[in-house]
Amino acid sequence: MNKLIIACDPDSDKSGWAVVKNGELITLTCKSLVEIFEYFNGCKNHDKIELHIENVNGISAAFNARDRKSSLAVKLKVAQHIGMCKQVQIEIERIAKHFGIKVVHHPVSKQWKGSKTGKAALKEVFGYDGQSNEDSRSAAYFAYRALQMNK
């Protein structure tokens, strides 16, 4: 079987992107929305493709304006960034559905985002010790979760 698991951590600029083919990590990077469209367009020769994506639309960006720990400007900036990430998730899912790719949501998680622990997990699970950042490691975590689900 030619199974392809694509995992994504949506971000407003470039989303974390991990690709696992038949259980092996073959890509770990970040991609723009246009690059994601092009990638999906090139996936036509695979028997089964799944997109496993962090569900940022499953969280609330609400905040307490009276909370004095952060300024209102900081809170609004955070809310704006979350909103941008939510829109990117919507667009990625639209693209996936356009190409007939199954979409699977995963709860928001900080797993594997830390440099030291995330790189160690990548090495242990996938044998990968190359370049990574917080977003790509997060995508790899969702790929790992996808593999666990498919056992």
Coordinates of all heavy atoms in Angstrom, one line a residue, residues 40-106:
F40 N -0.2 19.1 -2.4 CA -1.4 18.3 -2.6 C -1.7 18.0 -4.0 O -2.1 16.9 -4.4 CB -2.7 19.0 -1.9 CG -2.7 18.9 -0.4 CD1 -3.3 20.0 0.3 CD2 -2.2 17.8 0.3 CE1 -3.4 19.9 1.7 CE2 -2.3 17.8 1.6 CZ -2.9 18.8 2.3
N41 N -1.5 18.9 -4.9 CA -1.7 18.7 -6.3 C -0.8 17.7 -6.9 O -1.2 16.9 -7.8 CB -1.5 20.1 -7.1 CG -2.0 20.0 -8.5 OD1 -3.0 19.4 -8.8 ND2 -1.2 20.6 -9.4
G42 N 0.4 17.5 -6.3 CA 1.3 16.5 -6.7 C 1.1 15.1 -6.1 O 1.9 14.2 -6.4
C43 N 0.1 15.0 -5.3 CA -0.1 13.7 -4.5 C -1.1 12.8 -5.2 O -1.6 11.9 -4.5 CB -0.6 14.0 -3.1 SG 0.7 14.7 -2.1
K44 N -1.3 12.9 -6.5 CA -2.4 12.2 -7.1 C -2.1 10.7 -7.3 O -3.0 9.9 -7.5 CB -2.7 12.8 -8.5 CG -3.2 14.2 -8.4 CD -3.4 14.8 -9.7 CE -3.8 16.3 -9.5 NZ -3.8 17.0 -10.7
N45 N -0.8 10.3 -7.1 CA -0.5 8.9 -7.4 C -0.5 8.0 -6.1 O 0.0 6.9 -6.1 CB 0.9 8.8 -8.0 CG 0.9 9.4 -9.4 OD1 -0.1 9.4 -10.1 ND2 2.0 10.0 -9.8
H46 N -1.0 8.5 -5.0 CA -1.0 7.7 -3.8 C -2.4 7.1 -3.6 O -3.4 7.7 -3.8 CB -0.7 8.6 -2.6 CG 0.8 9.1 -2.6 ND1 1.8 8.3 -2.2 CD2 1.3 10.2 -3.1 CE1 2.9 8.9 -2.4 NE2 2.7 10.1 -3.0
D47 N -2.3 5.8 -3.1 CA -3.6 5.1 -2.8 C -4.4 5.7 -1.7 O -5.6 5.9 -1.9 CB -3.3 3.6 -2.4 CG -2.6 2.9 -3.5 OD1 -2.7 3.2 -4.7 OD2 -1.8 2.0 -3.2
K48 N -3.7 6.1 -0.7 CA -4.4 6.6 0.5 C -3.6 7.8 1.1 O -2.5 7.6 1.4 CB -4.7 5.6 1.5 CG -5.6 6.0 2.7 CD -6.0 4.8 3.6 CE -6.9 5.4 4.6 NZ -7.3 4.4 5.6
I49 N -4.3 8.9 1.3 CA -3.7 10.1 1.9 C -4.5 10.6 3.0 O -5.8 10.7 2.8 CB -3.5 11.2 0.8 CG1 -2.7 10.7 -0.4 CG2 -2.8 12.4 1.5 CD1 -2.6 11.8 -1.5
E50 N -3.9 11.0 4.1 CA -4.6 11.6 5.2 C -3.9 12.8 5.6 O -2.7 12.8 5.7 CB -4.7 10.6 6.4 CG -5.6 9.4 6.2 CD -5.6 8.5 7.4 OE1 -4.8 8.7 8.4 OE2 -6.3 7.5 7.3
L51 N -4.6 13.9 5.9 CA -4.1 15.1 6.5 C -4.4 15.1 8.0 O -5.6 15.1 8.3 CB -4.6 16.3 5.8 CG -4.3 17.7 6.5 CD1 -2.8 17.9 6.5 CD2 -5.1 18.8 5.9
H52 N -3.4 15.1 8.8 CA -3.6 15.2 10.3 C -3.2 16.6 10.7 O -2.0 16.9 10.5 CB -2.8 14.1 11.0 CG -3.4 12.7 10.8 ND1 -4.2 12.1 11.7 CD2 -3.4 11.9 9.7 CE1 -4.6 10.9 11.2 NE2 -4.1 10.8 10.0
I53 N -4.2 17.4 11.2 CA -3.9 18.8 11.4 C -4.3 19.2 12.8 O -5.3 18.7 13.4 CB -4.7 19.6 10.4 CG1 -4.3 21.1 10.4 CG2 -6.2 19.5 10.5 CD1 -4.7 21.9 9.1
E54 N -3.5 20.1 13.4 CA -3.8 20.6 14.7 C -5.0 21.5 14.6 O -5.1 22.4 13.7 CB -2.6 21.5 15.2 CG -2.8 22.0 16.6 CD -1.6 22.8 17.2 OE1 -1.0 23.5 16.4 OE2 -1.3 22.6 18.4
N55 N -6.0 21.3 15.4 CA -7.3 21.9 15.3 C -7.3 23.2 16.1 O -7.9 23.3 17.2 CB -8.4 21.0 15.8 CG -9.8 21.6 15.5 OD1 -9.9 22.5 14.7 ND2 -10.8 21.0 16.1
V56 N -6.7 24.3 15.6 CA -6.7 25.6 16.3 C -8.1 26.2 16.3 O -8.4 27.0 17.1 CB -5.6 26.6 15.7 CG1 -4.2 26.1 16.0 CG2 -5.8 26.8 14.2
N57 N -8.9 25.7 15.3 CA -10.3 26.2 15.3 C -11.1 25.6 16.5 O -12.2 26.0 16.7 CB -11.0 25.9 14.0 CG -10.5 26.9 13.0 OD1 -10.6 28.1 13.2 ND2 -10.0 26.5 11.8
G58 N -10.6 24.6 17.1 CA -11.2 24.0 18.3 C -11.0 24.7 19.6 O -11.5 24.3 20.6
I59 N -10.2 25.8 19.6 CA -10.0 26.6 20.8 C -10.6 27.9 20.7 O -10.8 28.4 19.6 CB -8.5 26.7 21.1 CG1 -7.7 27.5 20.0 CG2 -7.8 25.3 21.3 CD1 -6.3 27.9 20.3
S60 N -10.8 28.6 21.8 CA -11.4 29.9 21.9 C -10.2 30.9 22.1 O -9.3 30.7 22.8 CB -12.3 30.0 23.1 OG -12.7 31.3 23.2
A61 N -10.3 32.0 21.3 CA -9.3 33.1 21.5 C -9.8 34.1 22.4 O -9.3 35.2 22.5 CB -9.0 33.7 20.1
A62 N -10.9 33.8 23.2 CA -11.4 34.8 24.1 C -10.4 35.1 25.2 O -9.6 34.3 25.6 CB -12.7 34.3 24.7
F63 N -10.5 36.3 25.7 CA -9.6 36.7 26.8 C -10.4 37.6 27.7 O -11.4 38.2 27.3 CB -8.3 37.3 26.4 CG -8.5 38.5 25.5 CD1 -8.6 39.8 26.1 CD2 -8.6 38.4 24.1 CE1 -8.8 40.9 25.3 CE2 -8.8 39.5 23.4 CZ -8.9 40.8 23.9
N64 N -9.9 37.8 28.9 CA -10.5 38.7 29.9 C -9.9 40.0 29.8 O -8.7 40.2 30.1 CB -10.4 38.1 31.3 CG -11.0 38.9 32.4 OD1 -11.4 40.1 32.1 ND2 -11.1 38.4 33.6
A65 N -10.6 41.0 29.3 CA -10.0 42.4 29.1 C -9.6 43.0 30.4 O -8.8 43.9 30.4 CB -11.0 43.2 28.3
R66 N -10.1 42.5 31.5 CA -9.8 43.1 32.8 C -8.6 42.5 33.5 O -8.1 43.0 34.5 CB -11.0 43.0 33.8 CG -12.2 43.8 33.3 CD -13.3 43.6 34.3 NE -14.5 43.8 33.6 CZ -15.7 43.9 34.2 NH1 -15.8 43.9 35.5 NH2 -16.8 44.1 33.5
D67 N -8.1 41.4 32.9 CA -6.9 40.7 33.4 C -5.7 41.7 33.2 O -5.4 42.2 32.1 CB -6.6 39.5 32.6 CG -5.3 38.8 33.0 OD1 -4.8 39.1 34.0 OD2 -4.9 37.8 32.2
R68 N -5.1 42.0 34.3 CA -4.0 43.1 34.3 C -2.6 42.5 34.0 O -1.7 43.3 34.0 CB -4.1 43.8 35.7 CG -5.4 44.4 36.0 CD -5.3 45.8 36.2 NE -6.6 46.3 36.6 CZ -7.3 47.2 35.9 NH1 -6.9 47.6 34.7 NH2 -8.5 47.6 36.3
K69 N -2.5 41.2 33.8 CA -1.2 40.7 33.6 C -0.6 41.1 32.3 O 0.6 41.3 32.2 CB -1.2 39.1 33.7 CG -1.5 38.6 35.1 CD -1.5 37.1 35.1 CE -1.9 36.6 36.5 NZ -2.1 35.2 36.6
S70 N -1.4 41.3 31.3 CA -0.9 41.7 29.9 C -1.7 42.9 29.5 O -2.9 43.1 29.9 CB -1.2 40.6 28.9 OG -0.4 39.4 29.3
S71 N -1.1 43.8 28.7 CA -1.8 44.9 28.2 C -2.8 44.5 27.2 O -2.8 43.5 26.6 CB -0.8 45.9 27.6 OG -0.3 45.4 26.4
L72 N -3.8 45.4 27.0 CA -4.9 45.1 26.0 C -4.2 45.0 24.6 O -4.7 44.1 23.9 CB -5.9 46.3 26.0 CG -7.1 46.1 25.1 CD1 -7.8 44.8 25.4 CD2 -8.0 47.3 25.2
A73 N -3.2 45.8 24.3 CA -2.6 45.7 23.0 C -2.0 44.3 22.8 O -2.1 43.7 21.7 CB -1.5 46.8 22.9
V74 N -1.3 43.8 23.8 CA -0.7 42.5 23.7 C -1.8 41.4 23.6 O -1.7 40.5 22.7 CB 0.1 42.1 25.0 CG1 0.5 40.7 25.0 CG2 1.4 43.0 25.0
K75 N -2.9 41.5 24.3 CA -4.0 40.6 24.2 C -4.6 40.6 22.8 O -4.9 39.6 22.2 CB -5.1 40.9 25.2 CG -4.6 40.6 26.7 CD -5.7 41.0 27.6 CE -5.1 41.0 29.0 NZ -6.1 41.6 30.0
L76 N -4.8 41.8 22.3 CA -5.4 41.9 20.9 C -4.4 41.3 19.9 O -4.9 40.7 18.9 CB -5.7 43.4 20.6 CG -6.8 44.0 21.4 CD1 -7.0 45.5 21.2 CD2 -8.1 43.2 21.1
K77 N -3.1 41.5 20.0 CA -2.1 41.0 19.1 C -2.2 39.5 19.1 O -2.2 38.8 18.1 CB -0.7 41.5 19.5 CG 0.4 41.1 18.6 CD 0.4 42.0 17.4 CE 1.7 41.6 16.6 NZ 1.7 42.3 15.3
V78 N -2.3 38.9 20.3 CA -2.3 37.4 20.4 C -3.6 36.9 19.8 O -3.6 35.9 19.0 CB -2.2 37.0 21.9 CG1 -2.6 35.5 22.1 CG2 -0.9 37.2 22.5
A79 N -4.7 37.6 20.1 CA -6.0 37.2 19.5 C -6.0 37.3 18.0 O -6.5 36.4 17.3 CB -7.2 38.0 20.0
Q80 N -5.4 38.3 17.4 CA -5.2 38.5 16.0 C -4.4 37.3 15.4 O -4.8 36.7 14.4 CB -4.6 39.8 15.6 CG -4.4 40.0 14.1 CD -3.7 41.3 13.8 OE1 -3.1 41.9 14.7 NE2 -3.7 41.7 12.6
H81 N -3.3 37.0 16.0 CA -2.5 35.9 15.5 C -3.2 34.6 15.5 O -3.1 33.8 14.6 CB -1.2 35.8 16.3 CG -0.2 34.7 15.8 ND1 0.4 34.9 14.6 CD2 0.0 33.5 16.2 CE1 1.1 33.8 14.4 NE2 0.9 32.9 15.4
I82 N -3.9 34.3 16.6 CA -4.7 33.1 16.7 C -5.8 33.1 15.6 O -5.9 32.0 14.9 CB -5.4 32.9 18.1 CG1 -4.3 32.7 19.1 CG2 -6.4 31.8 18.0 CD1 -4.8 32.7 20.6
G83 N -6.4 34.2 15.3 CA -7.4 34.3 14.3 C -6.8 34.0 12.9 O -7.4 33.3 12.0
M84 N -5.6 34.5 12.7 CA -4.9 34.3 11.4 C -4.5 32.8 11.2 O -4.7 32.2 10.2 CB -3.6 35.1 11.3 CG -3.9 36.6 11.2 SD -2.5 37.7 11.5 CE -1.4 37.2 10.3
C85 N -4.1 32.1 12.3 CA -3.8 30.7 12.3 C -5.1 29.9 12.0 O -5.1 28.9 11.3 CB -3.2 30.2 13.6 SG -1.5 30.9 13.8
K86 N -6.2 30.3 12.6 CA -7.5 29.6 12.4 C -7.9 29.7 10.9 O -8.3 28.7 10.3 CB -8.6 30.2 13.3 CG -8.4 29.9 14.7 CD -9.5 30.5 15.5 CE -9.5 30.0 17.0 NZ -10.8 29.9 17.6
Q87 N -7.7 30.9 10.3 CA -8.0 31.0 8.9 C -7.1 30.2 8.0 O -7.6 29.5 7.0 CB -7.9 32.5 8.4 CG -8.4 32.7 7.0 CD -9.9 32.3 6.8 OE1 -10.7 32.6 7.7 NE2 -10.2 31.7 5.7
V88 N -5.8 30.1 8.3 CA -4.9 29.2 7.6 C -5.4 27.7 7.7 O -5.4 27.0 6.7 CB -3.5 29.4 8.0 CG1 -2.6 28.3 7.5 CG2 -2.9 30.7 7.6
Q89 N -5.8 27.3 8.9 CA -6.3 26.0 9.0 C -7.5 25.7 8.1 O -7.6 24.7 7.4 CB -6.7 25.7 10.4 CG -7.3 24.3 10.6 CD -7.9 24.0 12.0 OE1 -7.6 24.7 12.9 NE2 -8.8 23.0 12.1
I90 N -8.4 26.7 8.1 CA -9.6 26.6 7.2 C -9.2 26.4 5.7 O -9.7 25.6 5.0 CB -10.5 27.8 7.4 CG1 -11.2 27.7 8.7 CG2 -11.6 27.9 6.3 CD1 -11.9 29.0 9.2
E91 N -8.2 27.2 5.3 CA -7.8 27.2 3.9 C -7.1 25.9 3.6 O -7.3 25.3 2.5 CB -6.9 28.4 3.6 CG -7.6 29.7 3.7 CD -8.8 29.9 2.9 OE1 -9.0 29.3 1.9 OE2 -9.7 30.6 3.4
I92 N -6.2 25.4 4.5 CA -5.6 24.1 4.3 C -6.6 23.0 4.1 O -6.5 22.1 3.3 CB -4.5 23.8 5.4 CG1 -3.4 24.8 5.3 CG2 -4.0 22.4 5.3 CD1 -2.4 24.8 6.5
E93 N -7.6 23.0 5.0 CA -8.6 22.0 4.9 C -9.4 22.1 3.7 O -9.8 21.0 3.1 CB -9.5 22.0 6.2 CG -8.8 21.6 7.4 CD -9.7 21.6 8.7 OE1 -10.9 21.7 8.5 OE2 -9.1 21.7 9.8
R94 N -9.7 23.3 3.2 CA -10.4 23.4 1.9 C -9.6 22.8 0.8 O -10.1 22.2 -0.1 CB -10.7 24.9 1.6 CG -11.8 25.5 2.4 CD -12.0 27.0 2.0 NE -13.1 27.5 2.8 CZ -13.2 28.8 3.1 NH1 -12.4 29.7 2.6 NH2 -14.3 29.2 3.8
I95 N -8.3 23.1 0.8 CA -7.4 22.6 -0.3 C -7.4 21.0 -0.2 O -7.6 20.4 -1.2 CB -6.0 23.1 -0.1 CG1 -6.0 24.6 -0.4 CG2 -5.0 22.4 -1.1 CD1 -4.7 25.3 0.0
A96 N -7.3 20.5 1.0 CA -7.3 19.0 1.1 C -8.6 18.4 0.6 O -8.6 17.4 -0.2 CB -7.1 18.6 2.6
K97 N -9.7 19.0 1.0 CA -11.0 18.5 0.5 C -11.1 18.6 -1.0 O -11.7 17.7 -1.6 CB -12.1 19.2 1.3 CG -12.2 18.7 2.7 CD -13.2 19.5 3.5 CE -13.1 19.0 5.0 NZ -13.9 19.8 5.9
H98 N -10.6 19.7 -1.6 CA -10.6 19.9 -3.0 C -9.9 18.7 -3.7 O -10.4 18.2 -4.8 CB -9.9 21.2 -3.4 CG -9.7 21.4 -4.9 ND1 -10.7 21.7 -5.7 CD2 -8.6 21.2 -5.6 CE1 -10.3 21.8 -6.9 NE2 -9.0 21.5 -6.9
F99 N -8.9 18.2 -3.1 CA -8.1 17.1 -3.7 C -8.6 15.7 -3.2 O -8.0 14.7 -3.4 CB -6.6 17.2 -3.5 CG -6.0 18.3 -4.3 CD1 -5.7 19.5 -3.7 CD2 -5.9 18.2 -5.7 CE1 -5.1 20.6 -4.5 CE2 -5.4 19.2 -6.5 CZ -5.0 20.4 -5.9
G100 N -9.7 15.7 -2.4 CA -10.3 14.4 -1.9 C -9.4 13.8 -0.8 O -9.5 12.6 -0.6
I101 N -8.7 14.6 0.0 CA -7.9 14.1 1.0 C -8.6 14.1 2.4 O -9.2 15.2 2.7 CB -6.6 14.9 1.1 CG1 -5.8 14.8 -0.2 CG2 -5.7 14.5 2.4 CD1 -4.6 15.7 -0.3
K102 N -8.6 13.0 3.1 CA -9.3 12.9 4.3 C -8.6 13.8 5.4 O -7.4 13.8 5.5 CB -9.3 11.5 4.8 CG -9.9 11.2 6.2 CD -9.7 9.8 6.6 CE -10.2 9.6 8.0 NZ -10.1 8.2 8.5
V103 N -9.4 14.6 6.1 CA -8.8 15.5 7.2 C -9.2 14.9 8.6 O -10.3 14.6 8.8 CB -9.4 16.9 7.0 CG1 -8.9 17.8 8.2 CG2 -9.1 17.5 5.7
V104 N -8.1 14.8 9.4 CA -8.3 14.3 10.8 C -7.8 15.4 11.7 O -6.7 15.9 11.6 CB -7.5 13.0 11.0 CG1 -7.6 12.6 12.4 CG2 -7.9 11.9 10.0
H105 N -8.6 15.8 12.6 CA -8.3 16.9 13.6 C -7.6 16.3 14.8 O -8.0 15.2 15.3 CB -9.5 17.7 14.1 CG -10.1 18.5 13.0 ND1 -11.4 18.4 12.6 CD2 -9.5 19.5 12.2 CE1 -11.6 19.2 11.6 NE2 -10.5 19.9 11.3
H106 N -6.6 17.0 15.4 CA -6.0 16.7 16.6 C -6.1 17.9 17.6 O -5.9 19.0 17.1 CB -4.5 16.3 16.4 CG -4.3 15.1 15.6 ND1 -4.2 13.9 16.3 CD2 -4.2 14.8 14.3 CE1 -4.0 12.9 15.4 NE2 -4.1 13.5 14.2

